[in-house]
Amino acid sequence: LLKIVLCCLSDSEILGYALDTLYNIICNDEEEEQACDSASRSVGGTELFLLQWQDVCVIIFEFDFHVRWPGVKLLTALLKNQCVQVQGIILVSPMGVSRLMDLLADSREVIRNDGLLLLQQLTKSNAAIQKIVAFENAFERLLDIITEEGSSDGGIVVEDCLLLLVNLLKNNSSNQNFFKEGSYIQRMKPWFEVGDDNSGWSAQKVTNLHLMLQLVRVMVSPVNSPGATASCQKSMYQCGLLQQLCTILMATGVPADILTETINTVSEVIRGSQVNQDYFASVNAPSNPPRPAIVVLLMSMVNERQPFVLRCAVLYCFQCFLYKNQKGQGEIVATLLPSTIDANSISAGQLLCGGLFSVDSLSNWCAAVALAHALQDNLTQKEQLLRVQLATSLGKPPVSLLQQCTNILSQGSKVQTRVGLLMLLCTWINNCPIAVTHFLHNQENVPFLTAQISENLGEDERLVQGLCALLLGICIYYNDNSLENYTKEKLKQLIEKRIGKENFVEKLGFITKHELYSRAAQKPQPVFPSPEQMLFDHEFTKLVKELEGVITKAVHKSSEDEKKEEEVKKTLEQHDNIVTQYKELIREQDAQIQELKEQVASMSSQNEQMQTTVTQQLAQIQQHKDQYNILKLKLGKENQNQSNSQGDSSQVNGLQTEELTQLREEVEELRKQHPSPPPDTILSQVESQSAEINQMKTERQELLRRAEAGEEAKSLSESRAELEQQLASATSTVAILQTEQAKLQTEVQESKKELINVRKENYDRKVLLTIFFL
C-alpha cells in the first residue's frame, strides 16, 4: 500500500483511497481494542517503520480534501499506536509542526476538527512540541474557536480545544508564562458567566465547565513555581476571574460536581495570595441575612449528609484560605474567644467546635484539621486558643478547649476521631512552651499517653500509638521545665521505665510507615477514595518529617549531653554576636569607603575641570601674545608717520606724558606702601654677611685645632655651640635676604610689564586719536 501511495501521487483520488485503507488497517477502534491481537499492533509498527517524513508531507501538504482528510486520520492513528516515534519524525522535520498547525486554519470544519484530535495526540508528554505549537499562535486560534463555538455552551469541538489547551499548559512553565504574558487569562472570564437559571445543564456543558476549571487550576497549581503561581493569581484577581468563580460558588442550581470543582479551583486561586484571601473573606452568600461564604462552606463540611467529595473540597478551600495567612488565622480564632462570640449569629469557630465534638467521626477529623490549620506556624494564635472555654453541661464549670480534646481522647472514640484530635494537639503545642505547660498541667494526660504507647494493640491502633508518642515527644522537646513533676529529665526517665527508649522510637516510626502517610504527603489537596481512609493531612506530614528526628535525639540524650548542648548554644550565640558586631563594623567601613570613593570621584571631576580651564587660559594667553606681537610690528611701521602730524601728535604726546607721570606716581605710592631696601643695599648686606660667615668659619677651624691640642676643651665646646647658633642665624638671615631679593626682582619685572602695557594702551589711544583727527 505504501508503494501505491508513492506511485499514485499524481492521482489524488487513488491516493486518498490508499491512505484510507492504511488507516483502516492500523486503526484500533474502541470496540475492537479488547479483541485486538498483537498482529494488528505489529502491522501498525511495520507501517510506521516504513513511514518517513516524506510520506507525512504527502499526507499533510496536499490540500485536496480527498487526500488531506484520510491523511490526517492516518497520522492520528499512527500517533495513538506509536506516539514517541512519530513525534520524533515530526520534530526533526523542517516546518513539520507549522504545517500541522495549518490544519486549525482550514476552512473545512471536518479537517479542522480532526486536526484538533491530531494535535492532541501530537502534544502528549512532549514539552518541545508543546512549546513549538504554543509559539505557532495556538492559544489565539484555540480561544477564537472556543468563542465561535459558544464557549461553555458549545459542543464537542470546545471540549477538544480545551483538552489541547490542557496538554499545552500542564507542567509546562514556559507555555504557562507565555499564556499569562499574552493576556489570555483575561479571555477566560466570559467562560464562567452563568445566568440565574442554572437548571437543565447538558452533559456537554458540564464537561466543558470541568475542563475550563481544570485549565484554571493548571495555571495556579501548587506544583508550579511559587513566582509563576503568584503572578497568575494576581492576574486572575485583577481581571475579575476570581470574582466570577465566587459567583458560581454562591449560585443556586449549580450541579454538585461543578460546584465541587469550582470550590477546588477557588481554593488554588487564593492559596498563599493575601489579596485573593482577603477578597474571599469578604464574599457573602445571597441569603437573608447575608452570611460569609466561609461560614456557608463550613456548614457543608460538618454536615454528614453532604457528599464526601464536596466536604473534602470545602476542607481544602478552608486550608488554602489559611495558608500563610496570619490575618485570616487570627480572624478564625477570634470567633472562638469569649469577648467576640455573638449569640445571634453562627461563626466559623462555633461550626468548628460543633464539628469537633460531633458524633460523626468524619466531621471530627475535618474540624480538627481545619482548626490545626488556623494554628499552623502562628505562635500568637496558639496562645490565644488556650483562652477558649467550653460549657460541657449545665451546672458544671467550663473546661478549656485543650482539656476537652484530651477528655474525648481518653474516652476511646473511633480511630479517625482520635487521629484528628492528636494531629490538632501536636500542631497546637508544637513550638509553644506555654501550651506544653498547659497540657502537662493536667495530671491525667501523661499517664494516658504512656499507657497508650506501652500497650500491645492491633494494627488499627498502631497509628494512634505513633501519634501519642509524637505528642509525648513534643512535650519533652519543647518543655521549659516550669513544672517540677514533668521536667525534660523526668519525662525521659518515665519513658525509659514505662515504655523503653527503643520501643518508644519504634512506635514513633509507625507514623511514616503507614501507607496513607505517603499518599497524603504527595499533594496538598485531600483526595481519598473513601471516608475511612481520610487519616492524614498534608501539612501534618511535613510536621512529622520535621519532628521525628529531633524527638528521637531528645529522648536518647542524657542530662550531660543537654548541658553540653546548652553550652554550645551559648557559645554559638556569643559567636553570632561577635560576628554581628564585625558585620556592623564592616558595613560602617564599607559606607566610609563608599563616601571616600565618592569624594575621590568628585575631586577627580573637579581636577579635570580645572585642567580644562587652565588649558583654555593658556590658549587665551598665547592668543594675547600673538596679538601683542602683531601690534608691536604695526607700531614699528607707524613710528615713521608720527613726525608728520605735529599738531595732533603734540596733543597725543602731551597726553602720553601726563599718563606716564601718573603711572610713576602710582609706582612710588606702591613702593612707599611696601618699603624695601634697594638692590644695592641688599647686595652689600649679603656681602657683609658672607664675610662674617667666612670669619666665623676661620675661627671655628682655629678652635677645632685648639680642641685637638687638648687646651680649654670645655670652653671650646661652649664657644663651638655659640658659633653654631650664630652660624645658623646668619644662614637664616641670608636666606631671608635672598628671598627679599627674589621678591624685588619679581616686582621689577612686574613694573616693567606694567610699563609695557601702559605704553601699548597709550599707543592704541594715540592711533585712535590720529584716526579721529584725520
Side-chain angles (χ1 to χ4, degrees):
L1 285 173
L2 275 176
K3 293 180 179 179
I4 295 174
V5 170
L6 297 175
C7 295
C8 300
L9 295 179
S10 58
D11 193 327
S12 60
E13 186 174 359
I14 297 178
L15 181 59
Y17 286 135
L19 294 174
D20 201 15
T21 304
L22 280 173
Y23 167 73
N24 291 326
I25 290 175
I26 68 171
C27 179
N28 295 315
D29 296 334
E30 295 181 359
E31 298 178 355
E32 299 174 356
E33 281 185 358
Q34 296 179 354
C36 173
D37 56 7
S38 59
S40 62
R41 290 282 183 179
S42 64
V43 171
T46 305
E47 298 298 335
L48 177 61
F49 177 77
L50 297 175
L51 187 66
Q52 299 298 325
W53 176 242
Q54 294 81 1
D55 308 326
V56 178
C57 293
V58 173
I59 298 171
I60 300 303
F61 292 1
E62 181 64 42
F63 189 75
D64 191 304
F65 178 80
H66 297 289
V67 177
R68 200 172 207 188
W69 187 31
V72 170
K73 293 192 294 181
L74 173 61
L75 192 55
T76 305
L78 290 171
L79 283 164
K80 286 181 179 179
N81 290 339
Q82 300 290 338
C83 183
V84 177
Q85 289 86 340
V86 178
Q87 285 176 338
I89 294 173
I90 295 175
L91 189 60
V92 299
S93 303
M95 298 295 292
V97 179
S98 300
R99 289 291 187 177
L100 295 177
M101 283 298 300
D102 291 340
L103 297 173
L104 297 182
D106 201 304
S107 59
R108 295 161 294 193
E109 290 189 3
V110 64
I111 293 181
R112 183 200 67 181
N113 298 342
D114 284 347
L116 288 170
L117 300 176
L118 170 61
L119 291 171
Q120 284 180 30
Q121 297 297 325
L122 180 65
T123 55
K124 279 184 178 180
S125 306
N126 194 309
I129 293 179
Q130 290 169 2
K131 292 178 183 178
I132 297 172
V133 170
F135 282 96
E136 288 287 343
N137 206 23
F139 295 141
E140 185 74 28
R141 295 185 186 181
L142 293 173
L143 292 174
D144 288 342
I145 294 173
I146 292 172
T147 303
E148 293 170 2
E149 294 292 328
S151 297
S152 60
D153 293 321
I156 190 68
V157 176
V158 174
E159 179 183 350
D160 292 336
C161 290
L162 292 170
L163 287 171
L164 180 54
L165 283 172
V166 171
N167 277 359
L168 294 175
L169 294 173
K170 193 172 184 178
N171 300 325
N172 194 318
S173 58
S174 175
N175 282 1
Q176 290 174 9
N177 184 62
F178 182 63
F179 191 84
K180 179 185 69 68
E181 295 295 335
S183 301
Y184 296 118
I185 291 178
Q186 289 82 336
R187 296 185 60 178
M188 298 168 67
K189 180 188 174 184
W191 296 352
F192 305 101
E193 294 177 355
V194 297
D196 297 332
D197 184 14
N198 292 317
S199 59
W201 284 34
S202 64
Q204 186 62 56
K205 183 174 182 178
V206 172
T207 302
N208 292 344
L209 257 298
H210 263 294
L211 290 171
M212 289 173 177
L213 292 170
Q214 184 181 352
L215 193 61
V216 175
R217 294 185 65 184
V218 165
M219 299 297 296
V220 292
S221 174
V223 301
N224 296 343
S225 64
T229 299
S231 180
C232 291
Q233 288 172 333
K234 182 179 178 181
S235 298
M236 289 177 183
Y237 173 76
Q238 291 176 345
C239 73
L241 179 57
L242 173 60
Q243 294 84 331
Q244 199 65 47
L245 292 173
C246 290
T247 302
I248 299 177
L249 201 65
M250 295 291 105
T252 56
V254 178
D257 50 351
I258 293 295
L259 180 61
T260 302
E261 189 63 20
T262 303
I263 294 172
N264 289 326
T265 305
V266 171
S267 304
E268 295 183 351
V269 173
I270 67 173
R271 187 176 189 271
S273 173
Q274 187 66 54
V275 176
N276 294 5
Q277 289 167 339
D278 292 343
Y279 171 77
F280 182 71
S282 66
V283 175
N284 289 321
S287 59
N288 191 16
R291 288 177 177 173
I294 296 173
V295 173
V296 175
L297 291 174
L298 288 177
M299 287 179 178
S300 301
M301 185 186 75
V302 297
N303 187 353
E304 56 184 312
R305 296 180 181 178
Q306 294 292 338
F308 173 62
V309 290
L310 178 63
R311 298 174 73 180
C312 291
V314 173
L315 176 61
Y316 184 46
C317 186
F318 192 75
Q319 291 173 347
C320 292
F321 169 67
L322 297 178
Y323 183 72
K324 294 184 179 180
N325 183 11
Q326 294 192 352
K327 178 182 176 183
Q329 290 174 326
E331 292 172 352
I332 297 298
V333 173
T335 60
L336 288 165
L337 300 179
S339 58
T340 58
I341 293 177
D342 186 2
N344 298 323
S345 62
I346 300 176
S347 66
Q350 293 172 350
L351 290 170
L352 290 176
C353 282
L356 196 63
F357 309 123
S358 171
V359 294
D360 178 32
S361 61
L362 184 59
S363 297
N364 301 153
W365 191 91
C366 291
V369 170
L371 196 55
H373 277 260
L375 307 176
Q376 194 78 37
D377 300 326
N378 196 326
L379 181 61
T380 303
Q381 301 312 320
K382 291 178 182 180
E383 296 176 356
Q384 288 291 323
L385 200 63
L386 294 172
R387 297 169 49 199
V388 177
Q389 300 289 322
L390 301 175
T392 55
S393 61
L394 293 175
K396 291 185 179 181
V399 297
S400 67
L401 177 61
L402 184 66
Q403 182 59 44
Q404 185 64 16
C405 291
T406 56
N407 291 340
I408 296 174
L409 272 177
S410 62
Q411 292 173 3
S413 53
K414 293 182 179 180
V415 172
Q416 191 175 39
T417 301
R418 284 182 288 163
V419 168
L421 290 173
L422 285 169
M423 287 195 297
L424 172 60
L425 290 173
C426 290
T427 306
W428 191 345
I429 71 173
N430 176 56
N431 197 19
C432 184
I434 297 175
V436 171
T437 303
H438 276 256
F439 180 80
L440 295 176
H441 192 269
N442 186 351
Q443 301 294 327
E444 298 177 356
N445 288 340
V446 174
F448 168 75
L449 292 177
T450 54
Q452 287 287 317
I453 300 169
S454 59
E455 289 183 3
N456 292 322
L457 302 175
E459 292 291 332
D460 295 338
E461 297 292 334
R462 279 191 167 190
L463 179 58
V464 175
Q465 287 184 309
L467 292 172
C468 288
L470 179 66
L471 184 60
L472 186 57
I474 294 173
C475 292
I476 295 173
Y477 189 72
Y478 290 105
N479 195 332
D480 58 0
N481 297 323
S482 58
L483 294 177
E484 185 178 355
N485 294 332
Y486 294 111
T487 60
K488 286 185 177 181
E489 190 61 30
K490 289 185 177 180
L491 287 175
K492 286 191 288 186
Q493 292 175 0
L494 184 64
I495 289 175
E496 189 172 3
K497 292 179 180 178
R498 299 276 183 89
I499 306 171
K501 292 183 179 180
E502 298 300 330
N503 189 26
F504 177 86
V505 173
E506 182 183 359
K507 296 292 177 67
L508 182 63
F510 285 163
I511 303 174
T512 54
K513 293 177 182 177
H514 200 279
E515 58 178 355
L516 296 178
Y517 175 88
S518 57
R519 181 183 298 178
Q522 291 176 0
K523 56 182 179 179
Q525 183 180 359
V527 179
F528 303 96
S530 63
E532 294 77 17
Q533 295 183 351
M534 201 169 185
L535 292 178
F536 281 105
D537 172 59
H538 177 76
E539 292 297 326
F540 183 74
T541 59
K542 294 180 181 179
L543 181 64
V544 173
K545 186 177 181 181
E546 176 186 345
L547 291 176
E548 185 179 8
V550 296
I551 289 175
T552 302
K553 291 180 181 178
V555 170
H556 284 291
K557 282 178 188 173
S558 62
S559 57
E560 295 180 356
D561 293 336
E562 290 184 353
K563 290 180 181 179
K564 290 180 180 179
E565 280 194 358
E566 290 179 358
E567 293 177 357
V568 171
K569 287 181 180 178
K570 291 180 180 179
T571 306
L572 291 175
E573 289 177 357
Q574 294 176 357
H575 179 267
D576 291 340
N577 293 333
I578 294 172
V579 171
T580 303
Q581 293 177 0
Y582 276 115
K583 286 182 178 179
E584 292 177 355
L585 178 61
I586 290 170
R587 289 192 191 98
E588 292 177 359
Q589 291 178 349
D590 288 340
Q592 293 176 359
I593 291 171
Q594 187 63 30
E595 291 178 0
L596 292 173
K597 286 182 178 179
E598 293 176 355
Q599 292 178 4
V600 168
S602 176
M603 294 177 68
S604 299
S605 61
Q606 291 178 3
N607 184 27
E608 291 177 358
Q609 293 177 358
M610 293 176 67
Q611 288 180 354
T612 304
T613 305
V614 169
T615 304
Q616 293 176 353
Q617 291 179 351
L618 289 174
Q620 291 177 358
I621 291 170
Q622 185 63 37
Q623 185 178 1
H624 289 314
K625 286 181 179 180
D626 295 339
Q627 292 177 356
Y628 172 72
N629 293 328
I630 292 170
L631 290 173
K632 187 174 180 181
L633 291 174
K634 290 182 179 179
L635 179 63
K637 293 179 180 179
E638 292 177 356
N639 281 335
Q640 298 176 359
N641 299 327
Q642 291 182 0
S643 58
N644 296 330
S645 54
Q646 295 179 354
D648 297 337
S649 65
S650 62
Q651 295 179 0
V652 174
N653 289 333
L655 181 63
Q656 184 177 5
T657 304
E658 293 176 358
E659 290 180 352
L660 287 173
T661 304
Q662 185 177 358
L663 290 170
R664 286 171 183 169
E665 292 175 356
E666 291 177 357
V667 171
E668 290 297 329
E669 290 178 0
L670 290 171
R671 287 179 178 175
K672 290 178 181 179
Q673 293 176 0
H674 306 283
S676 58
D680 297 337
T681 306
I682 293 172
L683 291 174
S684 63
Q685 290 179 358
V686 171
E687 290 176 357
S688 63
Q689 292 292 336
S690 298
E692 291 178 1
I693 290 169
N694 292 329
Q695 185 179 358
M696 291 169 67
K697 287 181 178 180
T698 305
E699 292 176 357
R700 180 184 179 187
Q701 292 175 356
E702 184 178 355
L703 289 171
L704 288 172
R705 284 194 299 271
R706 293 175 61 186
E708 292 174 356
E711 299 177 356
E712 301 177 356
K714 186 175 181 181
S715 61
L716 284 174
S717 299
E718 294 176 355
S719 302
R720 179 183 177 185
E722 293 177 358
L723 289 173
E724 286 179 351
Q725 290 178 357
Q726 293 177 3
L727 178 62
S729 175
T731 305
S732 62
T733 304
V734 171
I736 292 169
L737 292 175
Q738 289 176 350
T739 304
E740 291 180 353
Q741 181 182 6
K743 288 182 179 178
L744 287 173
Q745 290 176 354
T746 304
E747 290 179 358
V748 170
Q749 294 294 330
E750 290 178 353
S751 299
K752 289 180 180 180
K753 290 180 180 178
E754 289 178 356
L755 289 174
I756 292 170
N757 291 332
V758 168
R759 289 176 181 176
K760 178 177 174 294
E761 291 176 358
N762 291 335
Y763 173 74
D764 293 338
R765 291 177 181 174
K766 183 185 74 173
V767 172
L768 291 172
L769 289 173
T770 304
I771 295 171
F772 175 77
F773 286 106
L774 289 174

